[in-house]
Amino acid sequence: MGKASTVSSLLCCPCRCLFCGVFGCLFSMLTCVFFSAGLVALVLYLLFRPHIIRATAVSADLSNFDLTARTWILHYNLSLAVQVRNPNKRIALRYHGVDAQAFYEGQRLVQAGLPDFFQDTGETSTLSPAFVGESPLVGGVAAAAFRREAAEGAAFSVNVKITAHLKLKLWVITVPGPKPKIDCPLKIQRRNATDGAGTPEFHPTECRVWF
Ligand SMILES: *[C@@H]1O[C@H](CO)[C@@H](O)[C@H](O)[C@H]1NC(C)=O
Ligand SMILES: *[C@@H]1O[C@H](CO)[C@@H](O)[C@H](O)[C@H]1NC(C)=O
C-alpha cells in the first residue's frame, strides 16, 4: 500500500469516527468529498481542456441607414456575416435560442432570431443576421451623433450583440453549457446607391466573447 492510499483511507474510513468523534468524522468526510470532487474536476478539465468560442464579424452591408428629419425615425437595412469558431478538440457545441440585436447609440434596432445549429470540434460556422426596419431614435444626442457620422463619410458605429444557449457534447454525453455573449462593436460604411461602387470595404472585426 502506497502512502497516498493510506492517507485517503485515513481521511475517508468511517471507522475513524469511533476514535475521533462526530466532528472529526464529519470533517474527514467533507475533506474526502471536496478532495474527490476537485480531483474529478481536474481530470475532466485536463481531458477536455475547454476553450472559449471565438467570433469575428467578417462582412457587413449597410444598404440603408437614414434618419428622417423632424420625426427622427431611423430606417435601416443591415446584413452581417459573423464567423463563430469552436476551438475545442473534444467538445462539440449545440447552439439554440440564438438571438442577434443591433444597437445604434445604445438604442435597440429590430431583433433578429437565428436558427439553431450544431458545431463540431474545431468547426467554424457563419451566422448571417439581418436587421431591416425602422425605429425611432430617442433624444437629441443620438440624432446629433447620427448627423456627425453621416457628415464624416457615412461610416456608422453599430453594436451587434449575439446571445445563445449552449449544450456541450462530450463523446456521447450532452450537458447544459454556459450562455455565451458576443459583442461586436462595428464601424460600417453605408452603401451609396448613386455612385454605383457596390459594397464598401469592411474591415473584419474581432468580437468580444464572454460567458
Ligand atoms: C435590404 O438590402 C438587401 C441588400 O441590398 C436587399 O436585397 C433587400 O431587398 C433590402 N430590403 C429592404 C426591405 O429594403
Ligand atoms: C453618393 O456618391 C455620390 C457620388 O460620389 C455623391 O455625390 C453623393 O453625395 C453620395 N451620397 C451619399 C448619401 O453619400
Side-chain angles (χ1 to χ4, degrees):
M1 254 205 333
K3 200 169 179 205
S5 66
T6 315
V7 170
S8 66
S9 75
L10 282 180
L11 281 174
C12 300
C13 178
C15 304
R16 295 285 297 168
C17 302
L18 294 175
F19 303 103
C20 57
V22 175
F23 291 111
C25 177
L26 213 59
F27 181 75
S28 315
M29 269 158 52
L30 283 179
T31 309
C32 180
V33 165
F34 283 126
F35 181 76
S36 320
L39 198 66
V40 167
L42 182 69
V43 167
L44 284 180
Y45 176 82
L46 290 177
L47 222 56
F48 293 108
R49 296 198 183 248
H51 292 289
I52 202 160
I53 54 170
R54 301 192 59 180
T56 314
V58 289
S59 74
D61 181 11
L62 192 60
S63 59
N64 183 21
F65 205 72
D66 278 312
L67 191 64
T68 19
R70 289 199 297 277
T71 52
W72 289 357
I73 305 286
L74 186 64
H75 300 261
Y76 46 83
N77 182 351
L78 165 65
S79 44
L80 271 188
V82 179
Q83 282 187 348
V84 179
R85 188 174 130 75
N86 172 13
N88 291 291
K89 288 198 177 69
R90 293 191 182 83
I91 306 174
L93 304 171
R94 196 177 287 285
Y95 295 70
H96 59 110
V98 190
D99 192 46
Q101 297 186 339
F103 295 82
Y104 182 68
E105 287 294 313
Q107 298 185 34
R108 185 141 63 101
L109 312 184
V110 77
Q111 184 171 336
L114 293 166
D116 298 354
F117 62 98
F118 176 76
Q119 192 172 48
D120 215 340
T121 54
E123 204 183 342
T124 300
S125 315
T126 303
L127 309 181
S128 311
F131 307 93
V132 185
E134 50 184 62
S135 317
L137 210 54
V138 181
V141 176
F146 177 91
R147 280 193 292 267
R148 181 171 44 76
E149 291 193 314
E152 291 169 358
F156 296 95
S157 313
V158 180
N159 241 63
V160 173
K161 293 176 200 270
I162 301 172
T163 53
H165 295 266
L166 277 187
K167 281 203 173 104
L168 315 181
K169 187 164 173 286
L170 327 161
W171 295 316
V172 293
I173 314 160
T174 301
V175 295
K179 284 165 70 175
K181 294 181 179 65
I182 299 171
D183 186 2
C184 311
L186 306 175
K187 191 89 172 170
I188 314 169
Q189 180 88 41
R190 182 175 59 194
R191 185 146 36 123
N192 181 337
T194 54
D195 71 0
T199 312
E201 196 188 351
F202 175 77
H203 300 288
T205 308
E206 194 77 20
C207 304
R208 241 158 35 93
V209 182
W210 73 99
F211 291 124

